[in-house]
PDB file of all heavy atoms in Angstrom:
ATOM      1  N   LYS A  37       6.491   6.553  -1.160  1.00 97.00           N
ATOM      2  CA  LYS A  37       6.183   5.142  -1.403  1.00 97.00           C
ATOM      3  C   LYS A  37       4.753   4.965  -1.902  1.00 97.00           C
ATOM      4  O   LYS A  37       4.464   4.041  -2.670  1.00 97.00           O
ATOM      5  CB  LYS A  37       6.420   4.329  -0.133  1.00 97.00           C
ATOM      6  CG  LYS A  37       7.873   4.363   0.343  1.00 97.00           C
ATOM      7  CD  LYS A  37       8.852   3.998  -0.774  1.00 97.00           C
ATOM      8  CE  LYS A  37      10.301   4.062  -0.301  1.00 97.00           C
ATOM      9  NZ  LYS A  37      11.255   3.694  -1.380  1.00 97.00           N
ATOM     10  N   ALA A  38       3.856   5.854  -1.484  1.00 97.00           N
ATOM     11  CA  ALA A  38       2.487   5.813  -2.014  1.00 97.00           C
ATOM     12  C   ALA A  38       2.504   6.095  -3.519  1.00 97.00           C
ATOM     13  O   ALA A  38       1.740   5.494  -4.290  1.00 97.00           O
ATOM     14  CB  ALA A  38       1.607   6.827  -1.290  1.00 97.00           C
ATOM     15  N   ALA A  39       3.393   6.987  -3.950  1.00 97.00           N
ATOM     16  CA  ALA A  39       3.515   7.287  -5.370  1.00 97.00           C
ATOM     17  C   ALA A  39       4.005   6.055  -6.145  1.00 97.00           C
ATOM     18  O   ALA A  39       3.565   5.807  -7.279  1.00 97.00           O
ATOM     19  CB  ALA A  39       4.474   8.454  -5.576  1.00 97.00           C
ATOM     20  N   VAL A  40       4.902   5.289  -5.542  1.00 97.00           N
ATOM     21  CA  VAL A  40       5.392   4.058  -6.173  1.00 97.00           C
ATOM     22  C   VAL A  40       4.241   3.070  -6.340  1.00 97.00           C
ATOM     23  O   VAL A  40       4.045   2.495  -7.418  1.00 97.00           O
ATOM     24  CB  VAL A  40       6.515   3.424  -5.324  1.00 97.00           C
ATOM     25  CG1 VAL A  40       6.853   2.022  -5.838  1.00 97.00           C
ATOM     26  CG2 VAL A  40       7.756   4.309  -5.336  1.00 97.00           C
ATOM     27  N   ILE A  41       3.459   2.868  -5.287  1.00 97.00           N
ATOM     28  CA  ILE A  41       2.329   1.935  -5.352  1.00 97.00           C
ATOM     29  C   ILE A  41       1.301   2.417  -6.361  1.00 97.00           C
ATOM     30  O   ILE A  41       0.738   1.627  -7.141  1.00 97.00           O
ATOM     31  CB  ILE A  41       1.699   1.772  -3.954  1.00 97.00           C
ATOM     32  CG1 ILE A  41       2.707   1.132  -2.994  1.00 97.00           C
ATOM     33  CG2 ILE A  41       0.422   0.941  -4.023  1.00 97.00           C
ATOM     34  CD1 ILE A  41       2.278   1.148  -1.534  1.00 97.00           C
ATOM     35  N   ARG A  42       1.045   3.722  -6.383  1.00 97.00           N
ATOM     36  CA  ARG A  42       0.082   4.296  -7.334  1.00 97.00           C
ATOM     37  C   ARG A  42       0.538   4.051  -8.767  1.00 97.00           C
ATOM     38  O   ARG A  42      -0.280   3.777  -9.663  1.00 97.00           O
ATOM     39  CB  ARG A  42      -0.072   5.784  -7.051  1.00 97.00           C
ATOM     40  CG  ARG A  42      -1.287   6.428  -7.701  1.00 97.00           C
ATOM     41  CD  ARG A  42      -1.470   7.862  -7.245  1.00 97.00           C
ATOM     42  NE  ARG A  42      -1.904   7.933  -5.846  1.00 97.00           N
ATOM     43  CZ  ARG A  42      -1.160   8.404  -4.866  1.00 97.00           C
ATOM     44  NH1 ARG A  42       0.057   8.865  -5.106  1.00 97.00           N
ATOM     45  NH2 ARG A  42      -1.632   8.436  -3.630  1.00 97.00           N
ATOM     46  N   GLU A  43       1.836   4.134  -8.987  1.00 97.00           N
ATOM     47  CA  GLU A  43       2.393   3.876 -10.315  1.00 97.00           C
ATOM     48  C   GLU A  43       2.216   2.410 -10.699  1.00 97.00           C
ATOM     49  O   GLU A  43       1.878   2.097 -11.844  1.00 97.00           O
ATOM     50  CB  GLU A  43       3.870   4.252 -10.328  1.00 97.00           C
ATOM     51  CG  GLU A  43       4.534   4.147 -11.691  1.00 97.00           C
ATOM     52  CD  GLU A  43       5.965   4.635 -11.674  1.00 97.00           C
ATOM     53  OE1 GLU A  43       6.209   5.717 -11.090  1.00 97.00           O
ATOM     54  OE2 GLU A  43       6.841   3.937 -12.228  1.00 97.00           O
ATOM     55  N   TRP A  44       2.422   1.501  -9.745  1.00 96.00           N
ATOM     56  CA  TRP A  44       2.202   0.080 -10.026  1.00 96.00           C
ATOM     57  C   TRP A  44       0.752  -0.185 -10.421  1.00 96.00           C
ATOM     58  O   TRP A  44       0.481  -0.966 -11.331  1.00 96.00           O
ATOM     59  CB  TRP A  44       2.553  -0.748  -8.786  1.00 96.00           C
ATOM     60  CG  TRP A  44       4.021  -0.852  -8.505  1.00 96.00           C
ATOM     61  CD1 TRP A  44       5.046  -0.642  -9.384  1.00 96.00           C
ATOM     62  CD2 TRP A  44       4.630  -1.204  -7.265  1.00 96.00           C
ATOM     63  NE1 TRP A  44       6.255  -0.847  -8.766  1.00 96.00           N
ATOM     64  CE2 TRP A  44       6.039  -1.193  -7.465  1.00 96.00           C
ATOM     65  CE3 TRP A  44       4.139  -1.531  -6.007  1.00 96.00           C
ATOM     66  CZ2 TRP A  44       6.945  -1.490  -6.456  1.00 96.00           C
ATOM     67  CZ3 TRP A  44       5.044  -1.838  -4.986  1.00 96.00           C
ATOM     68  CH2 TRP A  44       6.423  -1.817  -5.214  1.00 96.00           C
ATOM     69  N   VAL A  45      -0.170   0.466  -9.720  1.00 96.00           N
ATOM     70  CA  VAL A  45      -1.592   0.300 -10.050  1.00 96.00           C
ATOM     71  C   VAL A  45      -1.861   0.827 -11.453  1.00 96.00           C
ATOM     72  O   VAL A  45      -2.546   0.181 -12.257  1.00 96.00           O
ATOM     73  CB  VAL A  45      -2.477   1.021  -9.014  1.00 96.00           C
ATOM     74  CG1 VAL A  45      -3.940   1.017  -9.460  1.00 96.00           C
ATOM     75  CG2 VAL A  45      -2.351   0.365  -7.640  1.00 96.00           C
ATOM     76  N   ALA A  46      -1.341   2.004 -11.776  1.00 96.00           N
ATOM     77  CA  ALA A  46      -1.554   2.611 -13.092  1.00 96.00           C
ATOM     78  C   ALA A  46      -0.984   1.745 -14.211  1.00 96.00           C
ATOM     79  O   ALA A  46      -1.523   1.716 -15.330  1.00 96.00           O
ATOM     80  CB  ALA A  46      -0.924   4.000 -13.124  1.00 96.00           C
ATOM     81  N   GLN A  47       0.095   1.023 -13.912  1.00 95.00           N
ATOM     82  CA  GLN A  47       0.724   0.148 -14.906  1.00 95.00           C
ATOM     83  C   GLN A  47       0.027  -1.196 -15.017  1.00 95.00           C
ATOM     84  O   GLN A  47       0.422  -2.037 -15.839  1.00 95.00           O
ATOM     85  CB  GLN A  47       2.192  -0.071 -14.532  1.00 95.00           C
ATOM     86  CG  GLN A  47       3.055   1.178 -14.637  1.00 95.00           C
ATOM     87  CD  GLN A  47       4.446   0.979 -14.030  1.00 95.00           C
ATOM     88  OE1 GLN A  47       4.697  -0.009 -13.320  1.00 95.00           O
ATOM     89  NE2 GLN A  47       5.350   1.899 -14.311  1.00 95.00           N
ATOM     90  N   GLY A  48      -0.994  -1.406 -14.190  1.00 94.00           N
ATOM     91  CA  GLY A  48      -1.709  -2.678 -14.216  1.00 94.00           C
ATOM     92  C   GLY A  48      -0.959  -3.800 -13.531  1.00 94.00           C
ATOM     93  O   GLY A  48      -1.252  -4.981 -13.742  1.00 94.00           O
ATOM     94  N   ARG A  49       0.001  -3.457 -12.675  1.00 95.00           N
ATOM     95  CA  ARG A  49       0.794  -4.474 -11.989  1.00 95.00           C
ATOM     96  C   ARG A  49       0.218  -4.815 -10.616  1.00 95.00           C
ATOM     97  O   ARG A  49       0.613  -5.790  -9.988  1.00 95.00           O
ATOM     98  CB  ARG A  49       2.233  -3.989 -11.847  1.00 95.00           C
ATOM     99  CG  ARG A  49       2.885  -3.687 -13.189  1.00 95.00           C
ATOM    100  CD  ARG A  49       4.226  -3.005 -13.021  1.00 95.00           C
ATOM    101  NE  ARG A  49       5.232  -3.919 -12.504  1.00 95.00           N
ATOM    102  CZ  ARG A  49       6.415  -3.525 -12.039  1.00 95.00           C
ATOM    103  NH1 ARG A  49       6.703  -2.213 -11.997  1.00 95.00           N
ATOM    104  NH2 ARG A  49       7.287  -4.407 -11.604  1.00 95.00           N
ATOM    105  N   LEU A  50      -0.712  -3.993 -10.143  1.00 96.00           N
ATOM    106  CA  LEU A  50      -1.456  -4.249  -8.906  1.00 96.00           C
ATOM    107  C   LEU A  50      -2.918  -3.930  -9.149  1.00 96.00           C
ATOM    108  O   LEU A  50      -3.249  -3.061  -9.965  1.00 96.00           O
ATOM    109  CB  LEU A  50      -0.941  -3.367  -7.765  1.00 96.00           C
ATOM    110  CG  LEU A  50       0.350  -3.721  -7.050  1.00 96.00           C
ATOM    111  CD1 LEU A  50       0.597  -2.716  -5.918  1.00 96.00           C
ATOM    112  CD2 LEU A  50       0.338  -5.142  -6.491  1.00 96.00           C
ATOM    113  N   ALA A  51      -3.781  -4.617  -8.415  1.00 95.00           N
ATOM    114  CA  ALA A  51      -5.207  -4.294  -8.486  1.00 95.00           C
ATOM    115  C   ALA A  51      -5.428  -2.890  -7.930  1.00 95.00           C
ATOM    116  O   ALA A  51      -4.630  -2.404  -7.121  1.00 95.00           O
ATOM    117  CB  ALA A  51      -6.009  -5.312  -7.676  1.00 95.00           C
ATOM    118  N   PRO A  52      -6.486  -2.213  -8.373  1.00 95.00           N
ATOM    119  CA  PRO A  52      -6.752  -0.855  -7.869  1.00 95.00           C
ATOM    120  C   PRO A  52      -6.868  -0.846  -6.346  1.00 95.00           C
ATOM    121  O   PRO A  52      -7.669  -1.562  -5.760  1.00 95.00           O
ATOM    122  CB  PRO A  52      -8.084  -0.497  -8.530  1.00 95.00           C
ATOM    123  CG  PRO A  52      -8.107  -1.317  -9.771  1.00 95.00           C
ATOM    124  CD  PRO A  52      -7.454  -2.620  -9.401  1.00 95.00           C
ATOM    125  N   VAL A  53      -6.039  -0.054  -5.708  1.00 95.00           N
ATOM    126  CA  VAL A  53      -6.036   0.054  -4.258  1.00 95.00           C
ATOM    127  C   VAL A  53      -5.479   1.423  -3.890  1.00 95.00           C
ATOM    128  O   VAL A  53      -4.589   1.938  -4.576  1.00 95.00           O
ATOM    129  CB  VAL A  53      -5.179  -1.073  -3.617  1.00 95.00           C
ATOM    130  CG1 VAL A  53      -3.728  -0.975  -4.061  1.00 95.00           C
ATOM    131  CG2 VAL A  53      -5.275  -1.049  -2.102  1.00 95.00           C
ATOM    132  N   ASP A  54      -6.005   2.023  -2.838  1.00 97.00           N
ATOM    133  CA  ASP A  54      -5.461   3.289  -2.373  1.00 97.00           C
ATOM    134  C   ASP A  54      -4.158   3.001  -1.632  1.00 97.00           C
ATOM    135  O   ASP A  54      -4.130   2.227  -0.671  1.00 97.00           O
ATOM    136  CB  ASP A  54      -6.451   3.985  -1.438  1.00 97.00           C
ATOM    137  CG  ASP A  54      -5.905   5.312  -0.942  1.00 97.00           C
ATOM    138  OD1 ASP A  54      -5.195   5.312   0.086  1.00 97.00           O
ATOM    139  OD2 ASP A  54      -6.186   6.348  -1.580  1.00 97.00           O
ATOM    140  N   PRO A  55      -3.052   3.613  -2.057  1.00 97.00           N
ATOM    141  CA  PRO A  55      -1.755   3.299  -1.452  1.00 97.00           C
ATOM    142  C   PRO A  55      -1.692   3.556   0.049  1.00 97.00           C
ATOM    143  O   PRO A  55      -1.108   2.758   0.795  1.00 97.00           O
ATOM    144  CB  PRO A  55      -0.780   4.216  -2.204  1.00 97.00           C
ATOM    145  CG  PRO A  55      -1.457   4.542  -3.480  1.00 97.00           C
ATOM    146  CD  PRO A  55      -2.915   4.570  -3.168  1.00 97.00           C
ATOM    147  N   HIS A  56      -2.270   4.650   0.505  1.00 97.00           N
ATOM    148  CA  HIS A  56      -2.190   4.972   1.929  1.00 97.00           C
ATOM    149  C   HIS A  56      -2.961   3.944   2.762  1.00 97.00           C
ATOM    150  O   HIS A  56      -2.487   3.510   3.818  1.00 97.00           O
ATOM    151  CB  HIS A  56      -2.717   6.383   2.197  1.00 97.00           C
ATOM    152  CG  HIS A  56      -1.781   7.454   1.737  1.00 97.00           C
ATOM    153  ND1 HIS A  56      -1.869   8.047   0.493  1.00 97.00           N
ATOM    154  CD2 HIS A  56      -0.696   8.029   2.347  1.00 97.00           C
ATOM    155  CE1 HIS A  56      -0.912   8.943   0.360  1.00 97.00           C
ATOM    156  NE2 HIS A  56      -0.180   8.956   1.460  1.00 97.00           N
ATOM    157  N   HIS A  57      -4.121   3.543   2.285  1.00 97.00           N
ATOM    158  CA  HIS A  57      -4.883   2.540   3.036  1.00 97.00           C
ATOM    159  C   HIS A  57      -4.168   1.190   3.040  1.00 97.00           C
ATOM    160  O   HIS A  57      -4.250   0.442   4.025  1.00 97.00           O
ATOM    161  CB  HIS A  57      -6.302   2.409   2.469  1.00 97.00           C
ATOM    162  CG  HIS A  57      -7.172   3.589   2.754  1.00 97.00           C
ATOM    163  ND1 HIS A  57      -7.502   3.970   4.042  1.00 97.00           N
ATOM    164  CD2 HIS A  57      -7.764   4.491   1.932  1.00 97.00           C
ATOM    165  CE1 HIS A  57      -8.267   5.049   4.001  1.00 97.00           C
ATOM    166  NE2 HIS A  57      -8.434   5.385   2.740  1.00 97.00           N
ATOM    167  N   LEU A  58      -3.471   0.879   1.957  1.00 97.00           N
ATOM    168  CA  LEU A  58      -2.689  -0.357   1.923  1.00 97.00           C
ATOM    169  C   LEU A  58      -1.579  -0.303   2.968  1.00 97.00           C
ATOM    170  O   LEU A  58      -1.395  -1.255   3.744  1.00 97.00           O
ATOM    171  CB  LEU A  58      -2.082  -0.559   0.527  1.00 97.00           C
ATOM    172  CG  LEU A  58      -1.103  -1.733   0.386  1.00 97.00           C
ATOM    173  CD1 LEU A  58      -1.768  -3.054   0.752  1.00 97.00           C
ATOM    174  CD2 LEU A  58      -0.527  -1.782  -1.027  1.00 97.00           C
ATOM    175  N   ILE A  59      -0.848   0.800   3.025  1.00 97.00           N
ATOM    176  CA  ILE A  59       0.231   0.948   4.006  1.00 97.00           C
ATOM    177  C   ILE A  59      -0.326   0.909   5.426  1.00 97.00           C
ATOM    178  O   ILE A  59       0.227   0.242   6.308  1.00 97.00           O
ATOM    179  CB  ILE A  59       0.998   2.258   3.752  1.00 97.00           C
ATOM    180  CG1 ILE A  59       1.756   2.165   2.418  1.00 97.00           C
ATOM    181  CG2 ILE A  59       1.973   2.551   4.898  1.00 97.00           C
ATOM    182  CD1 ILE A  59       2.372   3.484   1.960  1.00 97.00           C
ATOM    183  N   PHE A  60      -1.447   1.605   5.669  1.00 97.00           N
ATOM    184  CA  PHE A  60      -2.060   1.600   7.003  1.00 97.00           C
ATOM    185  C   PHE A  60      -2.459   0.181   7.410  1.00 97.00           C
ATOM    186  O   PHE A  60      -2.297  -0.210   8.581  1.00 97.00           O
ATOM    187  CB  PHE A  60      -3.293   2.500   7.037  1.00 97.00           C
ATOM    188  CG  PHE A  60      -3.008   3.962   6.790  1.00 97.00           C
ATOM    189  CD1 PHE A  60      -4.026   4.814   6.380  1.00 97.00           C
ATOM    190  CD2 PHE A  60      -1.733   4.485   6.957  1.00 97.00           C
ATOM    191  CE1 PHE A  60      -3.768   6.161   6.148  1.00 97.00           C
ATOM    192  CE2 PHE A  60      -1.468   5.833   6.728  1.00 97.00           C
ATOM    193  CZ  PHE A  60      -2.501   6.675   6.319  1.00 97.00           C
ATOM    194  N   SER A  61      -2.995  -0.589   6.467  1.00 97.00           N
ATOM    195  CA  SER A  61      -3.421  -1.962   6.777  1.00 97.00           C
ATOM    196  C   SER A  61      -2.233  -2.839   7.157  1.00 97.00           C
ATOM    197  O   SER A  61      -2.321  -3.661   8.081  1.00 97.00           O
ATOM    198  CB  SER A  61      -4.155  -2.577   5.571  1.00 97.00           C
ATOM    199  OG  SER A  61      -5.356  -1.884   5.302  1.00 97.00           O
ATOM    200  N   ILE A  62      -1.108  -2.658   6.452  1.00 97.00           N
ATOM    201  CA  ILE A  62       0.093  -3.426   6.774  1.00 97.00           C
ATOM    202  C   ILE A  62       0.614  -3.040   8.155  1.00 97.00           C
ATOM    203  O   ILE A  62       0.980  -3.902   8.963  1.00 97.00           O
ATOM    204  CB  ILE A  62       1.171  -3.217   5.693  1.00 97.00           C
ATOM    205  CG1 ILE A  62       0.704  -3.826   4.365  1.00 97.00           C
ATOM    206  CG2 ILE A  62       2.499  -3.842   6.128  1.00 97.00           C
ATOM    207  CD1 ILE A  62       1.620  -3.512   3.188  1.00 97.00           C
ATOM    208  N   TRP A  63       0.632  -1.749   8.443  1.00 95.00           N
ATOM    209  CA  TRP A  63       1.063  -1.308   9.772  1.00 95.00           C
ATOM    210  C   TRP A  63       0.187  -1.923  10.857  1.00 95.00           C
ATOM    211  O   TRP A  63       0.682  -2.434  11.866  1.00 95.00           O
ATOM    212  CB  TRP A  63       0.981   0.213   9.874  1.00 95.00           C
ATOM    213  CG  TRP A  63       2.012   0.951   9.094  1.00 95.00           C
ATOM    214  CD1 TRP A  63       3.085   0.421   8.405  1.00 95.00           C
ATOM    215  CD2 TRP A  63       2.075   2.365   8.894  1.00 95.00           C
ATOM    216  NE1 TRP A  63       3.798   1.412   7.791  1.00 95.00           N
ATOM    217  CE2 TRP A  63       3.214   2.621   8.079  1.00 95.00           C
ATOM    218  CE3 TRP A  63       1.294   3.435   9.319  1.00 95.00           C
ATOM    219  CZ2 TRP A  63       3.570   3.917   7.690  1.00 95.00           C
ATOM    220  CZ3 TRP A  63       1.654   4.725   8.934  1.00 95.00           C
ATOM    221  CH2 TRP A  63       2.776   4.954   8.131  1.00 95.00           C
ATOM    222  N   ALA A  64      -1.129  -1.841  10.657  1.00 95.00           N
ATOM    223  CA  ALA A  64      -2.061  -2.304  11.691  1.00 95.00           C
ATOM    224  C   ALA A  64      -1.894  -3.786  11.981  1.00 95.00           C
ATOM    225  O   ALA A  64      -1.868  -4.208  13.150  1.00 95.00           O
ATOM    226  CB  ALA A  64      -3.501  -2.002  11.265  1.00 95.00           C
ATOM    227  N   THR A  65      -1.786  -4.591  10.929  1.00 96.00           N
ATOM    228  CA  THR A  65      -1.711  -6.039  11.141  1.00 96.00           C
ATOM    229  C   THR A  65      -0.357  -6.470  11.703  1.00 96.00           C
ATOM    230  O   THR A  65      -0.285  -7.290  12.617  1.00 96.00           O
ATOM    231  CB  THR A  65      -1.985  -6.800   9.828  1.00 96.00           C
ATOM    232  OG1 THR A  65      -1.163  -6.273   8.779  1.00 96.00           O
ATOM    233  CG2 THR A  65      -3.443  -6.667   9.422  1.00 96.00           C
ATOM    234  N   THR A  66       0.722  -5.927  11.163  1.00 96.00           N
ATOM    235  CA  THR A  66       2.046  -6.379  11.614  1.00 96.00           C
ATOM    236  C   THR A  66       2.363  -5.894  13.022  1.00 96.00           C
ATOM    237  O   THR A  66       2.960  -6.629  13.818  1.00 96.00           O
ATOM    238  CB  THR A  66       3.142  -5.909  10.639  1.00 96.00           C
ATOM    239  OG1 THR A  66       3.081  -4.480  10.496  1.00 96.00           O
ATOM    240  CG2 THR A  66       2.966  -6.549   9.272  1.00 96.00           C
ATOM    241  N   GLN A  67       1.989  -4.669  13.349  1.00 93.00           N
ATOM    242  CA  GLN A  67       2.304  -4.141  14.676  1.00 93.00           C
ATOM    243  C   GLN A  67       1.418  -4.715  15.775  1.00 93.00           C
ATOM    244  O   GLN A  67       1.780  -4.666  16.951  1.00 93.00           O
ATOM    245  CB  GLN A  67       2.179  -2.609  14.661  1.00 93.00           C
ATOM    246  CG  GLN A  67       3.318  -1.945  13.909  1.00 93.00           C
ATOM    247  CD  GLN A  67       3.028  -0.496  13.585  1.00 93.00           C
ATOM    248  OE1 GLN A  67       3.152  -0.080  12.454  1.00 93.00           O
ATOM    249  NE2 GLN A  67       2.635   0.276  14.577  1.00 93.00           N
ATOM    250  N   HIS A  68       0.287  -5.255  15.395  1.00 95.00           N
ATOM    251  CA  HIS A  68      -0.603  -5.864  16.388  1.00 95.00           C
ATOM    252  C   HIS A  68       0.122  -6.920  17.212  1.00 95.00           C
ATOM    253  O   HIS A  68      -0.106  -7.049  18.413  1.00 95.00           O
ATOM    254  CB  HIS A  68      -1.804  -6.494  15.673  1.00 95.00           C
ATOM    255  CG  HIS A  68      -2.755  -7.187  16.596  1.00 95.00           C
ATOM    256  ND1 HIS A  68      -3.831  -6.559  17.173  1.00 95.00           N
ATOM    257  CD2 HIS A  68      -2.792  -8.473  17.046  1.00 95.00           C
ATOM    258  CE1 HIS A  68      -4.489  -7.415  17.938  1.00 95.00           C
ATOM    259  NE2 HIS A  68      -3.880  -8.583  17.883  1.00 95.00           N
ATOM    260  N   TYR A  69       1.022  -7.650  16.571  1.00 95.00           N
ATOM    261  CA  TYR A  69       1.689  -8.763  17.244  1.00 95.00           C
ATOM    262  C   TYR A  69       2.648  -8.302  18.340  1.00 95.00           C
ATOM    263  O   TYR A  69       2.966  -9.072  19.242  1.00 95.00           O
ATOM    264  CB  TYR A  69       2.423  -9.630  16.210  1.00 95.00           C
ATOM    265  CG  TYR A  69       1.457 -10.385  15.326  1.00 95.00           C
ATOM    266  CD1 TYR A  69       0.961  -9.794  14.163  1.00 95.00           C
ATOM    267  CD2 TYR A  69       1.009 -11.650  15.668  1.00 95.00           C
ATOM    268  CE1 TYR A  69       0.053 -10.460  13.360  1.00 95.00           C
ATOM    269  CE2 TYR A  69       0.108 -12.337  14.870  1.00 95.00           C
ATOM    270  CZ  TYR A  69      -0.380 -11.731  13.713  1.00 95.00           C
ATOM    271  OH  TYR A  69      -1.287 -12.381  12.932  1.00 95.00           O
TER     272      TYR A  69
END
């Protein structure tokens, strides 16, 4: 899935972001609840 996000960034469909850090951030915020 990180490869999918990296491809979106390369295609200019997402702002430059490290895929793993994006996934970690989603895990951290959603699981907090």
Side-chain angles (χ1 to χ4, degrees):
K37 298 308 179 179
V40 170
I41 296 170
R42 195 173 289 112
E43 185 175 314
W44 287 340
V45 172
Q47 293 170 347
R49 301 171 71 193
L50 282 183
V53 62
D54 180 273
H56 287 93
H57 289 298
L58 173 59
I59 293 171
F60 296 160
S61 295
I62 293 172
W63 288 354
T65 50
T66 56
Q67 287 165 231
H68 178 91
Y69 290 88

